Amino acid sequence: MKKMKKVLAVALSLVMAGSLAACGSSSTETKASETAGAAETAAESTAESGSEAASEVSTDGKVYNIGICQLIQHDALDAATKGFEDALKETFGDNVKFDEQNAQGDSATCATIINSFVSNNDDLILANATAALQAAAAGTNTIPILGTAVTDYGVALDIDNFDGTVGGNISGTADLAPLDGQADMLHELFPDAKKVGLLYCSAEANSQFQVDTIKEYLEKLGYTCEYYAFSDSNDLSSVCTSAANDSDVIYVPTDNTVANNTEIVNNICTPAGVPVIAGEEGICKGCGVATLSISYYDLGVATGKMAVKVLQGEDISTMPVEYAPTFTKEYVASRCEAYGITVPDDYVALEE
């Protein structure tokens, strides 16, 4: 595998001169059609109830104030926020107002933002990403909180034996794709690889959860796995360099710090000839060859529909966390071609 990396480095340097990655996605369902059908039926039912609510709200003139705390700006979280807002606007029109704030990747700033929402007595808070959810949970136990783009609520909120319902004033949607499926994807594309580097931010609890989980799956498939943890963007470059030097393939989970710094990873791994399997579409676009991902916009829409129910009076404490019903195998054609990867027919090419 090491010899292959040296040979591929020349081809990959040529590919880097071109445009490697562009945003875009198609949707291919990889779960059973029955599940997707059930999800579609539920969505239609929610849309119908939302339409009825819209006329009621426009009559009484009630305006809902929604605070949005987004941990950091990158494609996945931006798409989730937009989907959330679009779903609420579809129901409430001009009778919903958003206070959208970005913490620029800082957990302490998340807490400050949440405190401002609490002081304003907002009607509902959207916590976009794990650190935002943790800050919201610490900031209020009365204002309804919906999380989105949170991988595992039990891990994020330190709930033992999490059964799918948080309770209290918290619920939301999770972005966890099947980690066994991602391990299978890595094996499908790189069956001859031996060493897999697990690159992630140690400050993100859900990133730690993902690499711990997929490590078990990968080891069962015969790979040797090594952790490459960085504390923040300042040491990402040095840690990624170590991973590229010592790995045949690198796996990156749905990690917000990597998502905001994919250029660093790409500029290290591509010349080194080390392919990256990514946990989500945005990271794949920036530095990866393939991913098994969800639509973050659709996840945001699902969260917005939950918000409609809460604002209409449904008890949030009884609402279970919702998960994406479908997942898509996606790949970056130019990178796969440079690595000589034969992509199976059930993968969808990201637009470049």
Side-chain angles (χ1 to χ4, degrees), residues 98-179:
F98 302 105
D99 183 359
E100 183 180 337
Q101 299 192 39
N102 194 296
Q104 303 301 323
D106 184 63
S107 298
T109 303
C110 284
T112 301
I113 291 171
I114 295 298
N115 288 337
S116 71
F117 297 158
V118 174
S119 296
N120 293 336
N121 196 29
D122 284 345
D123 295 295
L124 185 142
I125 293 172
L126 174 71
N128 192 343
T130 299
L133 177 66
Q134 292 169 332
T140 178
N141 60 6
T142 55
I143 296 175
I145 299 167
L146 288 174
T148 195
V150 175
T151 303
D152 186 280
Y153 282 71
V155 172
L157 300 175
D158 196 22
I159 303 172
D160 292 331
N161 301 316
F162 179 59
D163 63 1
T165 301
V166 177
N169 64 322
I170 300 174
S171 189
T173 58
D175 65 353
L176 181 63
L179 294 171

Side-chain angles (χ1 to χ4, degrees), residues 189-209:
L189 297 178
F190 304 102
D192 298 326
K194 303 298 182 184
K195 299 173 67 176
V196 178
L198 306 174
L199 181 67
Y200 69 102
C201 180
S202 58
E204 298 187 33
N206 277 315
S207 292
Q208 184 74 61
F209 167 78

Side-chain angles (χ1 to χ4, degrees), residues 48-308:
E48 290 174 1
S49 62
S51 297
E52 295 173 2
S55 61
E56 295 175 5
V57 172
S58 63
T59 300
D60 61 26
K62 167 70 176 176
V63 174
Y64 295 100
N65 294 301
I66 311 295
I68 299 176
C69 178
Q70 182 173 316
L71 173 62
I72 199 167
Q73 184 175 9
H74 63 70
D75 288 349
L77 300 190
D78 291 350
T81 292
K82 186 176 189 320
F84 175 80
E85 293 180 346
D86 286 351
L88 281 160
K89 289 175 183 176
E90 183 177 355
T91 298
F92 298 122
D94 293 336
N95 286 351
V96 60
K97 304 298 181 184
F98 302 105
D99 183 359
E100 183 180 337
Q101 299 192 39
N102 194 296
Q104 303 301 323
D106 184 63
S107 298
T109 303
C110 284
T112 301
I113 291 171
I114 295 298
N115 288 337
S116 71
F117 297 158
V118 174
S119 296
N120 293 336
N121 196 29
D122 284 345
D123 295 295
L124 185 142
I125 293 172
L126 174 71
N128 192 343
T130 299
L133 177 66
Q134 292 169 332
T140 178
N141 60 6
T142 55
I143 296 175
I145 299 167
L146 288 174
T148 195
V150 175
T151 303
D152 186 280
Y153 282 71
V155 172
L157 300 175
D158 196 22
I159 303 172
D160 292 331
N161 301 316
F162 179 59
D163 63 1
T165 301
V166 177
N169 64 322
I170 300 174
S171 189
T173 58
D175 65 353
L176 181 63
L179 294 171
D180 56 345
Q182 291 182 356
D184 289 340
M185 168 182 282
L186 189 150
H187 186 254
E188 184 174 47
L189 297 178
F190 304 102
D192 298 326
K194 303 298 182 184
K195 299 173 67 176
V196 178
L198 306 174
L199 181 67
Y200 69 102
C201 180
S202 58
E204 298 187 33
N206 277 315
S207 292
Q208 184 74 61
F209 167 78
Q210 289 174 82
V211 294
D212 286 344
T213 303
I214 201 169
K215 180 174 182 286
E216 296 182 10
Y217 292 126
L218 289 170
E219 288 176 343
K220 289 179 180 178
L221 291 170
Y223 296 102
T224 298
C225 299
E226 185 72 30
Y227 290 117
Y228 292 92
F230 57 91
S231 58
D232 56 36
S233 59
N234 294 321
D235 61 342
L236 172 58
S237 179
S238 61
V239 173
C240 185
T241 298
S242 297
N245 288 337
D246 298 333
S247 307
D248 298 321
V249 182
I250 289 176
Y251 171 78
V252 179
T254 56
D255 186 283
N256 289 297
T257 307
V258 174
N260 199 44
N261 294 277
T262 55
E263 185 176 1
I264 293 175
V265 177
N266 187 58
N267 288 344
I268 293 170
C269 292
T270 298
V274 181
V276 175
I277 293 292
E280 58 93 2
E281 181 182 281
I283 296 175
C284 184
K285 162 186 90 171
C287 62
V289 295
T291 182
L292 176 63
S293 185
I294 66 170
S295 164
Y296 277 83
Y297 178 82
D298 290 347
L299 193 72
V301 169
T303 316
K305 290 178 178 179
M306 294 178 75
V308 169

